[in-house]
Amino acid sequence: ASTALPTVQVHGRPLQRTWSLLAATAPAAASTLFLAHDPAAMGWRVGDRIGIAATTGVQPGLPPRSEGTTHTITSVVGGGGTSGYPLGISPPLRWAAAGGSQTVEGFTVGISAEVVNLARSVVLTGDDFSPVSAAAGGGAGPAGLHTIMAGGGAMRVEYARVEKCGQRMIKGRYCLHLHHMADCPGCAFVGNAIEDSAQGGITIHQTHRALVRHNVMWNTRGNGIYTEDGNEMGNQIIENVVVCSTAQECYVDTAITEVRRALLPPRALASTLRHPFPLIPPSLRLSSRRPISRRAFTWSA
């Protein structure tokens, strides 16, 4: 029997960038955006689906003054001027979205909507959120697909789209999940688009030295990127974007928030919900992985 450690690899068409910023404010009804980066150079194409974050106040329990919206790219023009790089979209913007510099209380500051590319050549999709059965430990919310790599080996998912994922109120059921992988420099989630999650986006649990870079998350309910125990070390979490179209859309209870509510006093809990991205300290010496005898597979497109 083979004693090789298992590996999982999923590779989609690479993008030079998965997100950009508005270089100039886009008014309501605009069908052309001006980005801070050249969409052609980023690898964005006509027909790609994008999301544009809201830039006005959105609070739980209150009607939104604007919300994040999704659109289809209708034109990509290489090159740009001082106002940015043009990108045609459909349908037009419902609300204005800030870009470039804004004046706030007499100070000039950079306030720009994130523009994320949600299209990928490889798609991992669940169903339309069937209820979690009580027998499966649920009964409190919807269920999509979930992925997990546990106990050893390596998992690398690059430039894939993961949608309709996560299983509400069931621990360990997240869209992309590294679970007890210990020292795993070969583990990486890079350039993925995660959308419409019932419970979280990316979870790193007792896994060290993994790479989480250039991912975009849209409506990943409960949290976007989560280091589960707080002892995860040396992980590189770099230039990811997490967007909720409205606060109401993502401000829901999950297995993660239930655990935090049980362990933390109310003020500490509120702080962790507002700021779910802990700083990751560097790691020096890490434990080794235990071997598992399984075959590896690679999926590319």
Side-chain angles (χ1 to χ4, degrees):
S2 173
T3 59
L5 292 171
T7 62
V8 174
Q9 297 189 48
V10 179
H11 302 281
R13 181 180 71 89
L15 299 174
Q16 291 302 309
R17 286 189 64 94
T18 57
W19 61 274
S20 185
L21 298 170
L22 286 183
T25 294
S31 58
T32 299
L33 308 177
F34 290 91
L35 304 185
H37 304 90
D38 185 344
M42 291 191 290
W44 296 18
R45 297 174 173 177
V46 171
D48 283 358
R49 187 163 162 272
I50 63 169
I52 304 168
T55 54
T56 57
V58 182
Q59 300 179 35
L62 297 177
R65 285 180 278 169
S66 71
E67 61 184 70
T69 53
T70 58
H71 307 261
T72 299
I73 295 177
T74 58
S75 64
V76 175
V77 180
T82 56
S83 59
Y85 298 89
L87 183 75
I89 62 168
S90 178
L93 287 180
R94 183 177 177 185
W95 291 281
S101 298
Q102 313 295 321
T103 301
V104 180
E105 298 292 336
F107 295 92
T108 300
V109 296
I111 300 178
S112 299
E114 293 86 356
V115 181
V116 301
N117 191 310
L118 298 170
R120 300 293 185 273
S121 62
V122 170
V123 179
L124 308 180
T125 186
D127 64 16
D128 288 312
F129 289 147
S130 301
V132 184
S133 69
L145 70 83
H146 75 101
T147 71
I148 184 171
M149 188 72 175
M155 182 178 190
R156 190 173 191 95
V157 181
E158 298 180 331
Y159 303 102
R161 173 179 167 83
V162 186
E163 64 181 18
K164 302 176 184 177
C165 49
Q167 299 183 1
R168 185 77 52 79
M169 306 308 291
I170 301 182
K171 296 177 184 178
R173 303 293 177 87
Y174 315 119
C175 298
L176 291 175
H177 184 192
L178 296 173
H179 181 77
H180 287 241
M181 295 293 285
D183 183 18
C184 195
C187 289
F189 297 141
V190 177
N192 301 294
I194 305 174
E195 184 177 3
D196 202 12
S197 165
Q199 179 166 267
I202 293 173
T203 297
I204 302 172
H205 186 195
Q206 290 196 23
T207 299
H208 316 293
R209 293 207 291 167
L211 176 63
V212 178
R213 183 175 64 193
H214 298 167
N215 301 284
V216 297
M217 279 145 276
W218 187 273
N219 286 344
T220 55
R221 297 167 181 86
N223 67 284
I225 302 174
Y226 182 54
T227 53
E228 189 160 341
D229 284 350
N231 63 355
E232 292 81 10
M233 299 179 291
N235 296 296
Q236 298 183 70
I237 301 177
I238 303 170
E239 292 185 349
N240 303 280
V241 174
V242 179
V243 178
C244 286
S245 55
T246 67
Q248 291 93 330
E249 188 68 45
C250 296
Y251 199 81
V252 300
D253 275 336
T254 66
I256 293 170
T257 56
E258 285 291 296
V259 170
R260 288 188 168 193
R261 183 173 288 107
L263 295 178
L264 297 175
R267 291 191 65 179
L269 173 66
S271 177
T272 60
L273 291 176
R274 286 195 303 269
H275 307 289
F277 306 104
L279 297 176
I280 311 301
S283 171
L284 297 177
R285 180 173 292 275
L286 303 167
S287 60
S288 62
R289 296 165 291 179
R290 59 184 177 86
I292 294 179
S293 177
R294 291 179 187 164
R295 293 188 175 183
F297 70 87
T298 301
W299 183 12
S300 300

